[in-house]
Amino acid sequence: MDLYLLESMSIILITAVVILLIFNKLKLPSMIGLFLTGIVLGQFITSTSLITEISELGVIFLLFIIGLEFSIEKFSSIKHYAIVGGLLQVVITTLLVMLLSLCAMPLNRAIFLGFLVCFSSTAIVMKLIQKKQLTHTLQGRVTLGILIFQDIAVILVLLLTPLLGGESINLALLPQILTKLVALVLIILVVGLFIVPRALKEAAKTKNRDLFMLLVLFICLGTTFGTSAIGISPELGAFIAGLIISNTDYAHQTLGYIQPFQDVFMSIFLISIGLMIDVNYFIQNILLIVAFSIVVLLLKFVATLITGEVLKIPIRTTIAISILLSQIGEFSFVLAGVGITHGLLTNELFTMFLAVSIITMSSTPFLQNITPRIVDLFKRIPYFQVDEELSMIKEEEVQSQILENHVIIVGFGVNGKNLSRACYHYHIPYVIVDLNPLIVEKEKALGLPIIYGNASNESVLKELKINDANCIIIATSNYESTLTTIDAARRLNPDIHIIVRTRYLKNVDEVYAAGADVVIPEEFETSIVIFTKLMDYYNKDVDEITDTIDTLRSDNYYEFRSVAPDELTTKLNENLTDLMVESLYVKDKKQLDEYEFKKHDLTVTAIIRDNKTILGISPKFELIEDDLILFTGSQENIEFFLKDYYNVDGGI
């Protein structure tokens, strides 16, 4: 392995960790810290080509995730803002920048510079919207619509860039190009509609995380390679790969698997941008850089303000949106790199652009904090009728599927099915998540609100609207997954009520410590059910049964968390009067009717085998070694039975 690469990556990572820790203490955006990491390290690392190549994977994964998160439903609910608002914002910004730039550069470069400036940072803006809980406001919806349009538009601009750089379309090659495009569309349709969904389903059925993740990575990188091989940009290939998976039931789980890769490589990408900054140039031209940054912020603010006026959005909301979208986005860095390749940017202009971009991105959180002051300035202008509060989105424009104050049911086994029926009966909004693709496919066809995924994955929990949920019920049998789900749910929504079903009493304390509010151990509850049925069979008083059960459940099962099965009968007997519960271990294979329980007027209530409780036993039930028989009867009858059959070894 290349030791230089290891050395460089180690230095980069430890520097980033230190700087991000400081930024976290100061409550400053991580993105600025990553830029600063690159700027600092740029003074010591001489060769950055290898790091830049690695960082390009961050762009690939980012576009893959954008395709993955894109859905027709999401787009259709905000199509007016996305199409009209997005188009206006991009076109107006590009025109304003182009007109100002024409005095210093030719038309093609001026247009390209307009394209560079018109895109905003999806990463920064969406984090701010989520942090301020603006998702369902008019401000959040319009902003999201414009960002979606920009994400799609950047693909088109990447395709147009070679033409702006002077490359001409050879008409003789047009049939060949069209053939490639038609073939690509056909392949995408076949792969997207038939092959990928089937492959993902088969991988999901195995419940093998590594297999599923490797398949997803192959789809992402394989599609990217395929489009590159026929002369189409790898960025478009990554977007198409995400788009293919977005129409399957496995999009949310895929997002969870791919997100860590995207986060790591995108961080390296942002650091690599900082590495490109010439500190000496930055210091020498600081006033010019700041001036250009202010011009960019003002131009984008004005362009979005005009867009808001056309859409007839209240001015206060328009101002807030204009501030949110005033920075240059991360896609512009990708576009700038392509522009250099095609001679649309000089090295000096590229350095200036990077510096201006970093300043505009860094200023966004601070500008958002002073939004009220900017609104006050607009109040002094007679033309603007400033509303007093940020407008909420109109009721008819809100998606009917928005979940609020709902219950999340994790696992759709017997418990999950019963819980969903109860929620449906009492009109409690709920959503289900399960890792069995066959169950998800079947129940979704029946109209149940269910998605495929692992609830321990943050991306899946976000899709389940964990932030708006009141309660999450974890009814799966995987103990490790239960603990990670509790941790993720508590981090994403500290106030959510967490109810957990666990199999064994010994796990109760650990589950409570992990953050659960209520823990129901299946092992102990089974004995409670057996006891209740037994008491009902003997016509015991309901109040007496209830009091006994309450006693058994007191102190959160404290007495029973480390109780062996044979000790459980002793504790049950402490609460009973004329009826005894007893247990015996089996030493040899026999049928149940070979033991004369009926002759001694005793009732077998259950068999415990390998920590599993077996009910509804027939007389011909086959017993095996180490089975534990639970039976009930009067003390006198039990003593006669034991006298006849109990041997010296303590087994039967």
Side-chain angles (χ1 to χ4, degrees), residues 15-29:
T15 307
V17 167
V18 172
I19 290 177
L20 289 183
L21 279 173
I22 296 170
F23 270 60
N24 187 57
K25 291 286 185 183
L26 298 174
K27 296 183 178 180
L28 295 173

mmCIF file of all heavy atoms in Angstrom, residues 15-29:
data_model
loop_
_atom_site.group_PDB
_atom_site.id
_atom_site.type_symbol
_atom_site.label_atom_id
_atom_site.label_comp_id
_atom_site.label_asym_id
_atom_site.label_seq_id
_atom_site.Cartn_x
_atom_site.Cartn_y
_atom_site.Cartn_z
ATOM 1 N N THR A 15 -6.521 16.174 11.707
ATOM 2 C CA THR A 15 -6.687 17.634 11.670
ATOM 3 C C THR A 15 -8.164 18.002 11.609
ATOM 4 O O THR A 15 -8.623 18.917 12.305
ATOM 5 C CB THR A 15 -5.950 18.234 10.453
ATOM 6 O OG1 THR A 15 -4.587 17.798 10.463
ATOM 7 C CG2 THR A 15 -5.993 19.753 10.488
ATOM 8 N N ALA A 16 -8.920 17.271 10.778
ATOM 9 C CA ALA A 16 -10.359 17.522 10.659
ATOM 10 C C ALA A 16 -11.068 17.276 11.990
ATOM 11 O O ALA A 16 -11.952 18.048 12.389
ATOM 12 C CB ALA A 16 -10.954 16.631 9.572
ATOM 13 N N VAL A 17 -10.679 16.208 12.691
ATOM 14 C CA VAL A 17 -11.295 15.892 13.985
ATOM 15 C C VAL A 17 -11.074 17.028 14.980
ATOM 16 O O VAL A 17 -12.008 17.480 15.658
ATOM 17 C CB VAL A 17 -10.730 14.563 14.547
ATOM 18 C CG1 VAL A 17 -11.115 14.386 16.016
ATOM 19 C CG2 VAL A 17 -11.242 13.382 13.731
ATOM 20 N N VAL A 18 -9.839 17.514 15.062
ATOM 21 C CA VAL A 18 -9.512 18.588 16.012
ATOM 22 C C VAL A 18 -10.290 19.861 15.678
ATOM 23 O O VAL A 18 -10.907 20.493 16.550
ATOM 24 C CB VAL A 18 -7.988 18.864 16.008
ATOM 25 C CG1 VAL A 18 -7.674 20.109 16.838
ATOM 26 C CG2 VAL A 18 -7.231 17.658 16.551
ATOM 27 N N ILE A 19 -10.286 20.242 14.393
ATOM 28 C CA ILE A 19 -10.968 21.480 13.984
ATOM 29 C C ILE A 19 -12.480 21.363 14.181
ATOM 30 O O ILE A 19 -13.131 22.297 14.669
ATOM 31 C CB ILE A 19 -10.623 21.823 12.519
ATOM 32 C CG1 ILE A 19 -9.155 22.248 12.424
ATOM 33 C CG2 ILE A 19 -11.534 22.930 11.985
ATOM 34 C CD1 ILE A 19 -8.672 22.543 11.021
ATOM 35 N N LEU A 20 -13.053 20.206 13.842
ATOM 36 C CA LEU A 20 -14.502 20.036 14.006
ATOM 37 C C LEU A 20 -14.908 20.021 15.480
ATOM 38 O O LEU A 20 -16.003 20.473 15.829
ATOM 39 C CB LEU A 20 -14.970 18.755 13.316
ATOM 40 C CG LEU A 20 -14.951 18.771 11.782
ATOM 41 C CD1 LEU A 20 -15.505 17.465 11.224
ATOM 42 C CD2 LEU A 20 -15.751 19.942 11.224
ATOM 43 N N LEU A 21 -14.040 19.500 16.346
ATOM 44 C CA LEU A 21 -14.325 19.556 17.786
ATOM 45 C C LEU A 21 -14.400 21.006 18.262
ATOM 46 O O LEU A 21 -15.299 21.381 19.027
ATOM 47 C CB LEU A 21 -13.242 18.803 18.569
ATOM 48 C CG LEU A 21 -13.373 17.279 18.643
ATOM 49 C CD1 LEU A 21 -12.136 16.671 19.298
ATOM 50 C CD2 LEU A 21 -14.630 16.878 19.417
ATOM 51 N N ILE A 22 -13.466 21.820 17.787
ATOM 52 C CA ILE A 22 -13.466 23.247 18.148
ATOM 53 C C ILE A 22 -14.717 23.932 17.596
ATOM 54 O O ILE A 22 -15.390 24.700 18.298
ATOM 55 C CB ILE A 22 -12.191 23.931 17.618
ATOM 56 C CG1 ILE A 22 -10.945 23.337 18.302
ATOM 57 C CG2 ILE A 22 -12.256 25.443 17.836
ATOM 58 C CD1 ILE A 22 -9.631 23.777 17.688
ATOM 59 N N PHE A 23 -15.052 23.634 16.331
ATOM 60 C CA PHE A 23 -16.233 24.248 15.707
ATOM 61 C C PHE A 23 -17.515 23.811 16.411
ATOM 62 O O PHE A 23 -18.467 24.583 16.527
ATOM 63 C CB PHE A 23 -16.286 23.888 14.216
ATOM 64 C CG PHE A 23 -15.576 24.875 13.344
ATOM 65 C CD1 PHE A 23 -14.222 25.120 13.516
ATOM 66 C CD2 PHE A 23 -16.249 25.567 12.357
ATOM 67 C CE1 PHE A 23 -13.553 26.042 12.725
ATOM 68 C CE2 PHE A 23 -15.602 26.497 11.559
ATOM 69 C CZ PHE A 23 -14.245 26.735 11.750
ATOM 70 N N ASN A 24 -17.537 22.559 16.871
ATOM 71 C CA ASN A 24 -18.715 22.075 17.588
ATOM 72 C C ASN A 24 -18.890 22.820 18.910
ATOM 73 O O ASN A 24 -20.014 23.167 19.298
ATOM 74 C CB ASN A 24 -18.576 20.569 17.845
ATOM 75 C CG ASN A 24 -19.836 19.968 18.428
ATOM 76 O OD1 ASN A 24 -20.912 20.058 17.849
ATOM 77 N ND2 ASN A 24 -19.717 19.354 19.594
ATOM 78 N N LYS A 25 -17.778 23.075 19.596
ATOM 79 C CA LYS A 25 -17.828 23.836 20.848
ATOM 80 C C LYS A 25 -18.324 25.257 20.605
ATOM 81 O O LYS A 25 -19.071 25.825 21.408
ATOM 82 C CB LYS A 25 -16.436 23.878 21.493
ATOM 83 C CG LYS A 25 -15.942 22.545 22.041
ATOM 84 C CD LYS A 25 -16.655 22.181 23.332
ATOM 85 C CE LYS A 25 -16.062 20.902 23.926
ATOM 86 N NZ LYS A 25 -16.797 20.498 25.157
ATOM 87 N N LEU A 26 -17.894 25.833 19.471
ATOM 88 C CA LEU A 26 -18.289 27.205 19.134
ATOM 89 C C LEU A 26 -19.641 27.264 18.433
ATOM 90 O O LEU A 26 -20.117 28.350 18.092
ATOM 91 C CB LEU A 26 -17.218 27.840 18.230
ATOM 92 C CG LEU A 26 -15.814 27.981 18.843
ATOM 93 C CD1 LEU A 26 -14.829 28.481 17.794
ATOM 94 C CD2 LEU A 26 -15.841 28.914 20.045
ATOM 95 N N LYS A 27 -20.244 26.072 18.188
ATOM 96 C CA LYS A 27 -21.538 25.959 17.509
ATOM 97 C C LYS A 27 -21.503 26.584 16.113
ATOM 98 O O LYS A 27 -22.422 27.277 15.686
ATOM 99 C CB LYS A 27 -22.651 26.587 18.353
ATOM 100 C CG LYS A 27 -22.868 25.868 19.677
ATOM 101 C CD LYS A 27 -24.021 26.447 20.467
ATOM 102 C CE LYS A 27 -24.225 25.667 21.758
ATOM 103 N NZ LYS A 27 -25.339 26.205 22.571
ATOM 104 N N LEU A 28 -20.405 26.305 15.405
ATOM 105 C CA LEU A 28 -20.248 26.769 14.028
ATOM 106 C C LEU A 28 -20.480 25.599 13.075
ATOM 107 O O LEU A 28 -20.257 24.439 13.435
ATOM 108 C CB LEU A 28 -18.841 27.341 13.815
ATOM 109 C CG LEU A 28 -18.509 28.613 14.612
ATOM 110 C CD1 LEU A 28 -17.035 28.969 14.456
ATOM 111 C CD2 LEU A 28 -19.385 29.773 14.156
ATOM 112 N N PRO A 29 -20.930 25.852 11.833
ATOM 113 C CA PRO A 29 -21.220 24.771 10.882
ATOM 114 C C PRO A 29 -19.998 23.906 10.581
ATOM 115 O O PRO A 29 -18.886 24.419 10.399
ATOM 116 C CB PRO A 29 -21.683 25.524 9.627
ATOM 117 C CG PRO A 29 -22.139 26.855 10.117
ATOM 118 C CD PRO A 29 -21.270 27.179 11.289
#
